[in-house]
Amino acid sequence: MAFWTYMLQCADGHFYVGHSDNLEARVAAHQSGASGGYTYSRRPVVLVWSETFGTSEEALAAERQIKGWSRAKKRALIDGDWDLISELARCRSRG
C-alpha cells in the first residue's frame, strides 16, 4: 500500500500539508469541504506537490518536516529546486 504526503495551495495563497493513503479522495474531500478544518474556508484548493512513501509513518514524518518549512522552502519544493532548498536550509541554520 502506498501513502502520500501532499501540499495544497489554497485560494488565499496559503499552503496546506497533509498525508493520506488515498490522495485522490483526500484532495476531493478538501475541495468539497467534507474534510472541514483549515482548508474549509480557503477553498478552492489546488494540489501543487505530492510524493509517495512506503509507510504511513514515513508520510507523516515528511508532513511534519515540511510543515515546519518557510514559505520560500515550500515553494522551492513545489518547483523541484533542490539547490534552493539546500541553500534555504543552510541560511536558517546559521541564524
Side-chain angles (χ1 to χ4, degrees):
M1 175 179 247
F3 297 87
W4 286 266
T5 299
Y6 62 92
M7 190 177 338
L8 305 174
Q9 184 163 11
C10 301
D12 63 3
H14 286 95
F15 293 122
Y16 174 85
V17 181
H19 76 285
S20 177
D21 63 349
N22 187 333
L23 182 60
E24 189 174 309
R26 188 67 179 135
V27 172
H30 283 290
Q31 196 66 270
S32 71
S35 65
Y38 185 83
T39 59
Y40 182 82
S41 62
R42 293 174 168 85
R43 294 174 290 147
V45 297
V46 176
L47 178 66
V48 292
W49 176 85
S50 66
E51 186 170 325
T52 353
F53 293 90
T55 68
S56 178
E57 291 78 16
E58 291 171 325
L60 178 59
E63 174 189 346
R64 288 180 174 159
Q65 179 180 25
I66 295 166
K67 279 184 174 180
W69 288 3
S70 67
R71 179 173 183 78
K73 201 168 176 182
K74 288 175 185 172
R75 176 57 63 191
L77 178 64
I78 293 164
D79 294 341
D81 190 340
W82 292 101
D83 292 335
L84 181 55
I85 290 171
S86 204
E87 176 62 28
L88 291 167
R90 281 193 300 274
C91 289
R92 185 167 185 180
S93 66
R94 288 184 200 147

